[in-house]
């Protein structure tokens, strides 16, 4: 199934077709997949509900499309290459046939452990092949996976387990991250103290440690698969049955479980993968994300495998054993498409060119970025030193909620402009709206980025709370999906994403709600209240700046800061650590008690002269003090 567009003219023609006849357009594409029973309708939708159904009546299992369908033609082709954290360790290669067997074997193990269609399973794993196997095995039997990034704390994991009412956790004893080893099972044990729904824990032996194994609850992965058949029929799923829940931050304190379904997600991840990366039959494709995020779901696991590609999975970090690791791996495996995040590029840039110049990188054809706006300097460095000015860069804009890439170049087909994501993929209808929600039709403008027609992998609901899905995405601008991003459209219609316009901070391409971090800061015993904003950070894109009011102003600022940081790490994980903590005596509030973040943001950005009108504040004096103490 080759769904690739071959020229920019063809793109323009397909795009026009996808707007004038969306159903016909997607029907042509969807027909090329393996359906256990064909669908009755292509798309039924109503953004008011929202109530969105793609391929209604169709029966399908995404794993049959990702595995079984390839066995005849590509059984011996590599599906997965796994590169370990330590370059001296052996790498792993699995053909489609081998991956199919392993997925079936583990799927049978899940069934033997009492898992049934519809059960939720939380996966908290290192970046090892078994993570991909676990994800696919869940889908195989119709269980709903919810991968929790292995950097999240016990507290954050417990929240997610409880929200999903998960029955099982799949984890490992620990993981390798650069020179460090991180315990995972210990974190799971701590989380499970506050979770009643978990009946079983499967533990993969990654480090040969001897973690605590709870009698009657915990079982080793190798014991669970012992004697299991290597064939397992794919469960018949309705196209709209839930495939996974992935938790992501919003503007309130509680992460929300974004729900994607079998049929639409399958069609869109494969279509977008093939077109954005222009991945050919014998190419080796590598996405450096973690499967704990949507990028890993859609573009390490599902998109590439449904397309019959060879996907590389990397256990380690870009700087271990040295900052040339990414490029060493590219040369070692002959990587053709390389997909990473601006924050990684900026971090490597800081180590200088030498680390990249010592590798040939001859195999590279397409470079990609994702997760946050890429600044021009990083874009140029990537283009010149990694791509040798010969590889196009696809700047892919999308979200957990969109399931797949929405605005991006398509390999070397599209015009390219630094820091611009470019044009929408066929089937995607972005619009820019003004403050009043009116569509701005001209070019050379800026506005709120919304989408006016559904695409197959659009969010269906937020798990257990449909109203939250409606109010967050479909209520701001009637008849539109609201992205939470602001964007510009240049004279040629190319989009440039500016960043979030809501209370979401993007740290190294990871989303955090300000309220979520404030809740964590406030959990520290010395804190009375806090306000958190983002500020420009050279490597991370945005850093977290916390303004904190304590019961008594701390004498020892460093100790107080350490205490707060420790609490945030406990509540969420290291990834959410505030970079700057300023102790203040009060926060700027309106007379109704609302914190004026706009003011705090300006101070954090180092622009205290641009605070605007502060006369409506309850106590304008407080601002001068904050400006004086700014870090
Ligand atoms: O603000 C946008 C930013 O990341 C947000 C989505 O975050 P998340 O759901 O965690 O998914 C990240 C990976 C898909 C968006 O609302 N973002 C993502 N890609 C880009 C981007 N901002 C600018 N340019 C991008 N290419």
């Amino acid at each position: 199934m080759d769904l690739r567009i071959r020229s920019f003219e063809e793109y323009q023609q397909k795009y026009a077709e996808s707007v004038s006849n969306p159903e016909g357009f997607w029907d042509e594409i969807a027909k090329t997949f393996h359906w256990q029973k064909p669908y009755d309708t292509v798309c039924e939708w109503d953004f008011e509900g929202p109530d969105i159904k793609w391929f209604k009546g169709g029966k399908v299992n995404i794993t049959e499309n990702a595995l079984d369908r390839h066995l005849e033609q590509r059984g011996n082709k590599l599906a997965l290459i796994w590169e370990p954290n330590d370059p001296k360790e052996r790498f792993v290669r699995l053909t489609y046939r081998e991956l199919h067997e392993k997925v079936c074997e583990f799927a049978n193990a899940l069934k033997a452990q009492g898992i049934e269609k519809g059960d939720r399973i939380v996966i908290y794993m290192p970046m090892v092949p078994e993570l991909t196997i676990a994800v696919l095995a869940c889908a195989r039997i119709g269980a709903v996976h919810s991968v929790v990034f292995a950097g999240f704390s016990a507290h954050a994991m417990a929240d997610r387990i409880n929200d999903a009412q998960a029955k099982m956790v799949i984890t490992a004893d620990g993981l390798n991250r650069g020179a460090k080893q991180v315990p995972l099972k210990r974190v799971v044990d701590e989380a499970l103290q506050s979770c009643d729904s978990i009946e079983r824990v499967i533990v993969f032996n990654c480090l040969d440690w001897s973690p605590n194994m709870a009698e009657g609850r915990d079982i080793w992965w190798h014991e669970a698969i012992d004697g299991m058949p290597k064939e397992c029929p794919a469960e018949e799923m309705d196209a709209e049955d839930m495939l996974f829940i992935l938790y992501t931050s919003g503007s309130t304190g509680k992460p929300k479980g974004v729900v994607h379904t079998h049929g639409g997600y399958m069609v869109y991840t494969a279509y977008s993968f093939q077109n954005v990366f222009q991945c050919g039959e014998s190419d080796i494709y590598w996405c450096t994300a973690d499967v704990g995020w949507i990028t890993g779901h859609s573009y390490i696991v599902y998109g590439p495998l449904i397309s019959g590609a060879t996907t590389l999975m990397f256990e380690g970090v870009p700087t271990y054993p040295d900052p040339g690791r990414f490029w060493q791996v590219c040369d070692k495996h002959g990587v053709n498409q390389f997909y990473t995040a601006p924050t990684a590029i900026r971090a490597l840039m800081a180590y200088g060119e030498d680390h990249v110049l010592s590798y040939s990188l001859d195999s590279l054809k397409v470079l990609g970025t994702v997760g946050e706006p890429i600044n021009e300097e990083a874009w140029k460095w990537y283009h010149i030193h990694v791509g040798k000015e010969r590889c196009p860069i696809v700047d892919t804009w999308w979200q957990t909620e969109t399931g797949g890439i929405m605005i991006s170049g398509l390999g070397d087909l599209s015009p390219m402009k630094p820091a611009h994501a470019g044009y929408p993929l066929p089937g995607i209808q972005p619009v820019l709206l003004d403050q009043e929600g009116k569509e701005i039709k001209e070019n050379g403008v800026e506005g709120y980025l919304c989408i006016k027609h559904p695409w197959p992998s659009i969010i269906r609901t937020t798990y257990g709370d449909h109203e939250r899905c409606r109010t967050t995405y479909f209520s701001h601008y009637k008849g539109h999906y609201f992205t939470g991003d602001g964007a510009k459209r240049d004279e040629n219609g190319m989009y440039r994403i500016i960043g979030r316009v809501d209370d979401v901070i993007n740290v190294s391409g990871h989303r955090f709600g300000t309220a979520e971090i404030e809740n964590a800061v406030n959990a520290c015993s010395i804190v009375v209240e806090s306000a958190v904003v983002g500020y420009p950070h050279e490597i991370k894109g945005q850093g977290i700046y916390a303004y904190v009011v304590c019961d008594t102003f701390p004498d020892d600022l460093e100790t107080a800061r350490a205490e707060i940081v420790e609490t945030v790490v406990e509540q969420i994980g290291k990834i959410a650590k505030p970079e700057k903590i300023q102790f203040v005596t009060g926060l700027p509030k309106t007379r109704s008690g609302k914190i004026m973040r706009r003011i705090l943001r300006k101070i954090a950005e180092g622009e205290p002269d641009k605070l605007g009108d502060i006369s409506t504040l309850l106590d304008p004096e407080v601002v001068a003090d904050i400006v004086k103490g700014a870090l």
Side-chain angles (χ1 to χ4, degrees):
M1 171 211 37
D2 190 342
L3 300 170
R4 272 178 296 169
I5 290 167
R6 304 294 173 143
S7 67
F8 193 64
E9 291 65 43
E10 193 190 343
Y11 158 76
Q12 287 171 314
Q13 179 212 324
K14 290 274 181 215
Y15 188 79
E17 200 184 306
S18 78
V19 173
S20 62
N21 178 13
E23 296 207 16
F25 173 80
W26 287 114
D27 186 31
E28 280 301 305
I29 293 165
K31 273 201 300 225
T32 66
F33 289 74
H34 172 71
W35 297 86
Q36 294 166 337
K37 174 182 166 283
Y39 43 86
D40 303 320
T41 56
V42 175
C43 181
E44 288 179 17
W45 64 289
D46 154 32
F47 273 176
E48 291 281 303
D51 184 11
I52 305 158
K53 291 194 170 55
W54 280 90
F55 313 118
K56 196 170 149 193
K59 299 285 181 191
V60 66
N61 186 299
I62 196 166
T63 71
E64 276 191 313
N65 284 274
L67 299 169
D68 307 55
R69 197 170 44 132
H70 304 308
L71 293 182
E72 205 174 299
Q73 305 263 317
R74 303 188 177 100
N76 295 324
K77 176 177 171 172
L78 287 182
L80 188 82
I81 301 176
W82 177 74
E83 172 68 21
N85 177 61
D86 180 349
K88 292 200 270 323
E89 228 183 87
R90 276 180 50 193
F91 60 91
V92 171
R93 297 203 279 197
L94 296 177
T95 63
Y96 272 93
R97 184 159 294 115
E98 288 164 333
L99 183 60
H100 177 263
E101 281 184 3
K102 285 183 182 291
V103 168
C104 287
E105 180 183 56
F106 192 62
N108 284 320
L110 292 177
K111 285 205 257 187
Q113 296 302 322
I115 296 298
E116 292 170 3
K117 180 176 181 171
D119 286 344
R120 275 83 56 214
I121 298 185
V122 162
I123 302 178
Y124 187 71
M125 293 271 286
M127 278 287 286
V128 291
E130 284 70 18
L131 168 52
T132 296
I133 292 165
V135 162
L136 293 169
C138 290
R140 186 83 178 169
I141 61 169
V144 176
H145 57 77
S146 185
V147 185
V148 174
F149 172 63
F152 276 115
S153 68
H155 189 275
M157 190 188 348
D159 276 354
R160 287 156 174 77
I161 291 173
N162 288 330
D163 189 81
Q165 283 294 292
K167 201 161 155 187
M168 174 185 273
V169 177
I170 304 172
T171 188
D173 45 357
L175 61 75
N176 293 301
R177 186 163 287 151
K180 282 188 260 169
Q181 296 191 316
V182 184
L184 290 184
K185 178 61 168 52
R186 214 193 294 156
V187 182
V188 171
D189 287 343
E190 196 189 325
L192 294 193
Q193 286 176 9
S194 48
C195 303
D196 294 331
S197 59
I198 298 295
E199 293 171 12
R200 275 269 178 287
V201 179
I202 297 186
V203 186
F204 176 68
N205 180 8
C206 187
L207 301 179
D208 257 334
W209 286 357
S210 308
N212 163 57
M213 297 290 280
E215 179 97 39
R217 187 195 71 186
D218 303 353
I219 176 170
W220 285 104
W221 176 294
H222 53 268
E223 285 168 5
I225 59 171
D226 193 30
M228 289 296 148
K230 294 184 167 66
E231 275 295 329
C232 173
E235 188 72 36
E236 190 181 278
M237 304 302 287
D238 194 280
E240 280 298 331
D241 276 342
M242 215 184 299
L243 171 64
F244 66 84
I245 308 171
L246 187 59
Y247 285 87
T248 188
S249 301
S251 25
T252 71
K254 194 170 161 269
K256 48 186 179 253
V258 172
V259 170
H260 286 290
T261 57
H262 269 253
Y265 181 81
M266 167 185 81
V267 171
Y268 196 73
T269 52
Y271 180 74
S272 54
F273 169 75
Q274 292 183 31
N275 280 296
V276 169
F277 297 103
Q278 292 286 310
C279 192
E281 186 63 49
S282 52
D283 285 349
I284 309 280
Y285 159 88
W286 179 19
C287 166
T288 70
D290 192 289
V291 173
W293 310 111
I294 191 68
T295 309
H297 281 62
S298 303
Y299 299 112
I300 294 179
V301 182
Y302 287 112
L305 293 178
I306 298 166
S307 304
T310 301
T311 181
L312 192 149
M313 193 177 172
F314 175 45
E315 184 188 26
V317 295
T319 48
Y320 181 81
D322 62 58
R325 187 67 195 279
F326 271 0
W327 324 124
Q328 179 253 336
V329 174
C330 283
D331 275 6
K332 175 174 174 184
H333 296 287
V335 169
N336 303 112
Q337 289 84 15
F338 177 75
Y339 190 27
T340 196
T343 185
I345 298 167
R346 288 192 298 263
L348 295 177
M349 235 168 98
Y351 287 96
E353 278 95 76
D354 288 354
H355 293 283
V356 56
L357 295 182
S358 44
Y359 295 96
S360 91
L361 301 178
D362 278 350
S363 57
L364 290 175
K365 295 185 199 165
V366 176
L367 301 176
T369 84
V370 60
E372 52 174 314
I374 181 164
N375 48 313
E376 278 199 49
E377 201 193 345
W379 192 97
K380 287 199 173 124
W381 191 88
Y382 198 28
H383 189 234
I384 295 170
H385 299 299
V386 180
K388 315 292 181 201
E389 295 180 75
R390 115 188 112 62
C391 302
I393 294 180
V394 290
D395 179 350
T396 66
W397 173 82
W398 58 296
Q399 311 177 297
T400 306
E401 296 85 344
T402 69
I405 296 168
M406 304 285 282
I407 302 181
S408 167
L410 308 181
D412 60 356
L413 311 184
S414 319
M416 193 167 70
K417 187 169 169 187
H420 285 67
Y423 295 107
L425 264 68
I428 307 304
Q429 299 186 37
V431 289
L432 295 180
L433 303 185
D434 67 14
Q435 298 269 10
E436 278 76 51
K438 235 178 72 233
E439 185 174 339
I440 315 169
K441 298 222 163 145
E442 317 73 73
N443 281 346
V445 291
E446 180 176 335
Y448 298 118
L449 180 61
C450 292
I451 318 285
K452 69 174 180 194
H453 190 281
W455 60 99
S457 62
I458 186 174
I459 179 175
R460 298 301 197 274
T461 189
T462 42
Y463 190 74
D465 189 355
H466 193 62
E467 179 58 11
R468 186 161 179 207
C469 176
R470 192 188 68 78
T471 51
T472 312
Y473 308 106
F474 298 95
S475 70
H476 293 262
Y477 303 107
K478 203 171 150 52
H480 292 87
Y481 164 82
F482 176 48
T483 65
D485 280 324
K488 289 184 180 179
R489 190 168 51 221
D490 77 3
E491 297 305 333
N492 300 314
M494 290 178 96
Y495 285 88
R496 173 182 197 147
I497 311 302
I498 302 165
R500 304 290 306 196
V501 293
D502 53 7
D503 285 329
V504 168
I505 309 178
N506 190 331
V507 185
S508 300
H510 302 144
R511 270 161 72 168
F512 296 100
T514 50
E516 185 187 6
I517 299 172
E518 285 161 10
N519 287 350
V521 170
N522 297 349
C524 182
S525 61
I526 59 168
V527 176
V528 173
E529 66 171 337
S530 65
V532 160
V533 296
Y535 73 97
H537 186 284
E538 215 175 311
I539 307 275
K540 299 179 174 184
Q542 280 191 296
I544 297 170
Y545 193 128
Y547 297 90
V548 177
V549 182
C550 291
D551 37 15
T552 52
F553 199 90
D555 292 330
D556 179 354
L557 297 183
E558 280 321 303
T559 308
R561 281 195 184 110
E563 221 173 297
I564 293 170
V565 166
E566 198 183 312
T567 312
V568 173
V569 170
E570 240 170 59
Q571 296 282 317
I572 306 177
K574 280 196 185 130
I575 45 176
K577 271 203 294 208
E579 206 80 28
K580 295 187 180 181
I581 300 176
Q582 181 183 347
F583 295 100
V584 295
T585 50
L587 296 169
K589 290 186 184 170
T590 59
R591 278 171 225 285
S592 60
K594 202 170 163 289
I595 296 171
M596 295 280 281
R597 273 170 223 289
R598 175 178 60 78
I599 293 174
L600 295 174
R601 218 174 282 130
K602 282 285 167 220
I603 299 172
E605 284 166 1
E607 297 186 326
D609 46 329
K610 295 191 184 141
L611 296 185
D613 181 17
I614 58 168
S615 61
T616 55
L617 289 180
L618 186 63
D619 176 13
E621 301 287 277
V622 86
V623 174
D625 277 352
I626 299 177
V627 170
K628 235 187 283 154
L631 301 169

